[in-house]
């Protein structure tokens, strides 16, 4: 569904990656291209960040989607030398309620430690 959405030329939106509960992530744009995913128009969020959309399907396993997203975030952090404090939601840039199903957990100690654990493992390699 996300792929169909971002391929629709009549909708000015795009993201770099989509992640679901499967075994792969899908890349829609090169990371050096501007996406339109944060809701801040031509602001810093769209121009200077990598957009990752998490798929939420009624038949899906959102916990697994979050784990898959953390693996992708870890990979991108390593490739682009991104610090954990620069991993933010769309909400950070525009104030929009996005991702609604993750915002109430994103800043939690558990979620931050979970992502940070991947950063620590990455540094040990």
């Amino acid at each position: 569904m996300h792929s169909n959405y971002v391929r629709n030329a009549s909708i000015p939106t795009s993201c770099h990656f989509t992640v679901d509960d499967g075994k792969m992530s899908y890349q829609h744009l090169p990371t050096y291209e501007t996406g339109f995913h944060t809701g801040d128009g031509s602001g810093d969020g769209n121009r200077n960040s990598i957009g990752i959309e998490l798929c939420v399907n009624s038949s899906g396993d959102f916990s697994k989607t979050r784990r898959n997203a953390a693996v992708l975030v870890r990979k991108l952090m390593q490739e682009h030398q991104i610090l954990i404090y620069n991993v933010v939601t769309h909400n950070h840039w525009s104030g929009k309620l996005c991702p609604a199903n993750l915002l109430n957990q994103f800043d939690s100690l558990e979620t931050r430690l979970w992502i940070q654990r991947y950063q620590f493992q990455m540094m040990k390699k």
Side-chain angles (χ1 to χ4, degrees):
M1 295 298 287
H2 276 77
S3 292
N4 291 336
Y5 186 68
V6 298
R7 281 188 280 186
N8 184 343
S10 67
I11 301 171
T13 187
S14 56
C15 60
H16 297 92
F17 297 91
T18 52
V19 179
D20 63 13
D21 60 355
K23 295 188 181 209
M24 63 178 65
S25 300
Y26 299 92
Q27 185 167 2
H28 304 283
L29 294 173
T31 55
Y32 58 82
E33 277 190 27
T34 296
F36 292 94
H37 48 88
T38 67
D40 71 344
S42 60
D44 283 337
N46 283 331
R47 287 185 295 122
N48 299 314
S49 67
I50 298 171
I52 302 172
E53 295 290 338
L54 279 64
C55 299
V56 181
N57 304 313
S58 59
S59 62
D61 180 347
F62 191 62
S63 292
K64 184 149 196 236
T65 299
R66 282 184 28 219
R67 285 192 299 273
N68 291 345
V71 171
L72 175 59
V73 168
R74 175 184 63 116
K75 180 180 180 294
L76 292 169
M77 288 171 67
Q78 183 175 18
E79 288 176 5
H80 299 281
Q81 299 178 2
I82 299 168
L83 299 174
I84 187 67
Y85 304 104
N86 293 323
V87 176
V88 298
T89 64
H90 299 333
N91 177 269
H92 171 85
W93 299 107
S94 64
K96 74 177 182 173
L97 185 60
C98 183
N101 56 352
L102 188 60
L103 281 177
N104 64 343
Q105 309 168 39
F106 189 77
D107 288 328
S108 75
L109 180 60
E110 176 188 358
T111 301
R112 284 302 201 184
L113 290 174
W114 184 53
I115 295 171
Q116 206 162 19
R117 180 181 78 220
Y118 287 110
Q119 183 180 24
F120 179 72
Q121 289 172 351
M122 173 184 67
M123 290 168 50
K124 287 175 33 180
K125 291 182 180 183

